Amino acid sequence: MRLLKRYVKNSCRLLSVSLVMVLCAVSFVCAAEVSEGQTAGNEVSQTVHWYDEAVNCVTEHGWMGMLEDGTFGAEKSMTRAMFVSALYEMDQEMETENEDLSVVPVGETDLPTESCGQSQDVDTEYSDLPGYSDLQDSVKPAKDLFGDVNGDEWFVPALEWAVEQKVINGINGNFCPDQTINREMMAVMIRRASSALSISSPADWSISIDYTDLEEVSDWAVDGIAFCAVYEIMSGNPDGSFAPKRELTRAEAAVILQRIDGLRQKADCAGC
């Protein structure tokens, strides 16, 4: 009987040891799987995209923000309202910087002030642009200028700035804020905003554009496309086309805004 009890006790001990060894093995396998999953997740989060630098630039400056879902939405459409807002935010940032620079220290109020790369004649810059209308002759509330604007939309301050700066004329009496912006629309807006953003040169310029799809370019967009080609803000495709009607993503817009920023920084220091 004692031998039987001892055998049972020894068997229980062996069984306990076996269970511990099995549990340790399972824990090790699970830990290895978690570790591999974490590594894979880190690799995904560290993926480098061609637009990352530009997205960081525009978000850090506040020219573009995140969407409602908390992401930048790089591959989502860039609308007319979004791009006008981005140009407006760039201008507001410059205004703030200029105000900081214009503060004159006490005791130096008699010193002459100098401008750095600022255009002196905005109206003349735009008087001959295609699409110019009497719409911008006086600053009015956006709701009185565009049939599809109520006046309380998030983009209204930017839109009224764009009207004042002669960047926007509208489409058949509407602003069409949610319409995805295409390449020729963006080129024209950039051209018209160039003086406000200090990216235009006082010197005369000309360029011969020979895109293979020029017949698809709207007459009112030729000047804007040529301007963007001169300053290398927007260029043609590898096949020699410009694709004026191709719609742009938020990532592509971010890259273009970054290029504009580089040009305006050069203009700010021109002649200093």
Side-chain angles (χ1 to χ4, degrees):
M1 188 69 176
R2 291 179 179 177
L3 292 175
L4 179 61
K5 289 182 179 179
R6 185 176 300 173
Y7 175 78
V8 171
K9 289 181 179 179
N10 290 338
S11 298
C12 291
R13 290 174 183 174
L14 289 173
L15 180 60
S16 299
V17 172
S18 299
L19 287 174
V20 171
M21 292 179 65
V22 170
L23 290 174
C24 289
V26 171
S27 299
F28 177 81
V29 172
C30 292
E33 290 178 350
V34 171
S35 178
E36 289 176 0
Q38 289 176 343
T39 301
N42 290 338
E43 289 176 354
V44 171
S45 65
Q46 294 174 3
T47 300
V48 177
H49 301 96
W50 58 268
Y51 50 75
D52 284 345
E53 182 181 348
V55 169
N56 290 335
C57 175
V58 299
T59 53
E60 287 177 3
H61 283 277
W63 307 329
M64 293 177 67
M66 299 300 176
L67 299 178
E68 293 181 356
D69 61 3
T71 66
F72 181 77
E75 300 302 329
K76 293 187 177 181
S77 299
M78 185 71 175
T79 66
R80 285 166 54 84
M82 288 176 183
F83 192 65
V84 166
S85 178
L87 295 178
Y88 168 71
E89 293 298 337
M90 291 186 78
D91 176 74
Q92 294 304 296
E93 181 182 60
M94 290 179 60
E95 290 291 334
T96 301
E97 292 173 354
N98 291 338
E99 288 177 0
D100 293 340
L101 292 174
S102 65
V103 176
V104 181
V106 177
E108 297 183 8
T109 55
D110 295 332
L111 293 178
T113 58
E114 297 180 357
S115 61
C116 183
Q118 302 293 322
S119 174
Q120 302 298 320
D121 192 353
V122 175
D123 292 334
T124 304
E125 178 76 18
Y126 296 102
S127 60
D128 297 325
L129 279 176
Y132 181 83
S133 70
D134 294 334
L135 177 66
Q136 298 103 341
D137 287 345
S138 59
V139 179
K140 299 178 182 178
K143 63 184 181 64
D144 295 338
L145 299 174
F146 303 100
D148 58 350
V149 176
N150 295 323
D152 57 355
E153 294 89 345
W154 63 271
F155 56 79
V156 166
L159 178 56
E160 292 179 344
W161 167 85
V163 170
E164 182 180 3
Q165 297 297 328
K166 307 174 179 62
V167 175
I168 288 293
N169 287 329
I171 301 174
N172 298 323
N174 294 317
F175 173 50
C176 304
D178 298 324
Q179 178 178 328
T180 303
I181 193 169
N182 61 35
R183 284 169 59 81
E184 68 176 6
M185 282 183 184
M186 183 174 286
V188 170
M189 288 188 190
I190 293 171
R191 169 67 175 115
R192 293 176 177 176
S194 61
S195 184
L197 299 178
S198 297
I199 61 174
S200 58
S201 171
D204 293 333
W205 59 268
S206 63
I207 187 175
S208 175
I209 53 177
D210 55 356
Y211 297 123
T212 58
D213 56 352
L214 282 177
E215 70 280 356
E216 299 178 18
V217 175
S218 301
D219 292 340
W220 49 264
V222 173
D223 184 73
I225 292 174
F227 178 86
C228 288
V230 168
Y231 290 96
E232 299 180 345
I233 300 172
M234 298 175 71
S235 57
N237 299 310
D239 63 358
S241 66
F242 182 75
K245 302 300 190 293
R246 184 172 70 78
E247 297 178 339
L248 295 167
T249 65
R250 285 170 56 84
E252 291 173 317
V255 171
I256 290 171
L257 290 169
Q258 185 183 37
R259 292 173 184 169
I260 292 174
D261 181 52
L263 289 170
R264 76 180 182 87
Q265 288 186 28
K266 290 181 180 179
D268 284 342
C269 293
C272 292

